[in-house]
Amino acid sequence: MNYLYNHFLEEHDFAQTCDLSLSDLCQLVERRVFPGPSYVYGASGRSASFVSDAADDTTYRFHLKGYEAWIEAIQRFGLDTEERARTHFFDRYNASRSAFLSSDLGKALTDVAPTVTKQFDADHANATWGHFLNGVYGVCTRDGLPESVFLKQSGVMFIEAMMQQTVDKLSQIDLGLLGRAVDFLDKVESEFAPHEVEAS
């Protein structure tokens, strides 16, 4: 719970922070322009005090704090349909892709793992949008925004491609590049909840 409240806002607080009603927030999710909650926490417990005892059986839904910026984009650019939201998402995603692949690190990684860039096809885009709407990138990136989504995906894909051969078979240059890729991924990937760290 400490992790959730440090990195996320429960939906009532998230809506209030964004100057929305809870109904407005739910409608954005239903219209597929805003992600659903990244975490859903079912609480069942009992509170005891000098005054009285009370049972609690509540479901809490948490949205990543960084998604306040996506609400701002929805309002600023009129992203009132899924088509408009998706187009805006991929405009930013593709700009991040172009910037990264033309960087020194992006070029070096592409040289050693040229097949990675071919994986960013239409099927990949559809899966990415689906995961965005399902709240997945609120779990595995620090801000959940399109730029970070691309950077997280590419970091993982390049590292996995380089690890196709065992580490002892990588040259010192490749090991150095692998280290740079891991450091790069660490900057965009979330810390993950305590129960997820081992699997992540």
Side-chain angles (χ1 to χ4, degrees):
M1 292 302 289
N2 287 339
Y3 173 86
L4 290 175
Y5 279 106
N6 281 335
H7 299 280
F8 296 80
L9 288 169
E10 201 278 327
E11 66 181 353
H12 292 85
D13 295 331
F14 184 87
Q16 186 175 25
T17 298
C18 297
D19 200 22
L20 297 170
S21 68
L22 183 56
S23 175
D24 290 338
L25 178 61
C26 291
Q27 286 179 18
L28 293 175
V29 174
E30 288 172 9
R31 290 206 319 257
R32 296 174 60 82
V33 299
F34 186 76
S38 295
Y39 288 94
V40 178
Y41 186 90
S44 182
R46 187 167 202 81
S47 173
S49 73
F50 168 75
V51 179
S52 67
D53 291 354
D56 178 37
D57 191 6
T58 308
T59 299
Y60 299 93
R61 295 171 178 83
F62 290 89
H63 294 276
L64 187 65
K65 291 178 180 179
Y67 279 144
E68 293 173 44
W70 189 251
I71 292 289
E72 291 172 10
I74 289 172
Q75 295 168 341
R76 180 177 177 190
F77 299 107
L79 310 180
D80 55 357
T81 66
E82 181 177 2
E83 182 180 355
R84 288 179 181 170
R86 180 181 166 125
T87 297
H88 180 77
F89 178 95
F90 280 106
D91 284 348
R92 292 170 58 175
Y93 180 97
N94 290 329
S96 180
R97 177 183 175 183
S98 295
F100 176 72
L101 293 179
S102 62
S103 71
D104 289 342
L105 179 58
K107 289 176 182 175
L109 289 169
T110 301
D111 285 345
V112 299
T115 61
V116 168
T117 57
K118 296 174 184 175
Q119 298 175 44
F120 290 90
D121 56 15
D123 288 340
H124 179 82
N126 288 334
T128 297
W129 180 246
H131 293 324
F132 175 72
L133 291 178
N134 289 336
V136 169
Y137 297 116
V139 174
C140 59
T141 66
R142 293 186 185 273
D143 62 19
L145 299 176
E147 297 81 1
S148 296
V149 170
F150 169 76
L151 295 174
K152 183 266 178 192
Q153 289 178 339
S154 62
V156 169
M157 291 161 75
F158 277 116
I159 290 168
E160 287 178 345
M162 292 185 73
M163 294 300 296
Q164 292 292 322
Q165 51 187 322
T166 57
V167 175
D168 61 344
K169 292 186 178 177
L170 292 172
S171 69
Q172 286 302 311
I173 292 174
D174 286 344
L175 282 173
L177 181 59
L178 181 61
R180 288 173 62 198
V182 171
D183 290 343
F184 156 77
L185 179 60
D186 281 344
K187 292 177 183 175
V188 294
E189 197 167 49
S190 75
E191 296 172 16
F192 290 95
H195 68 281
E196 297 169 334
V197 170
E198 184 177 349
S200 68

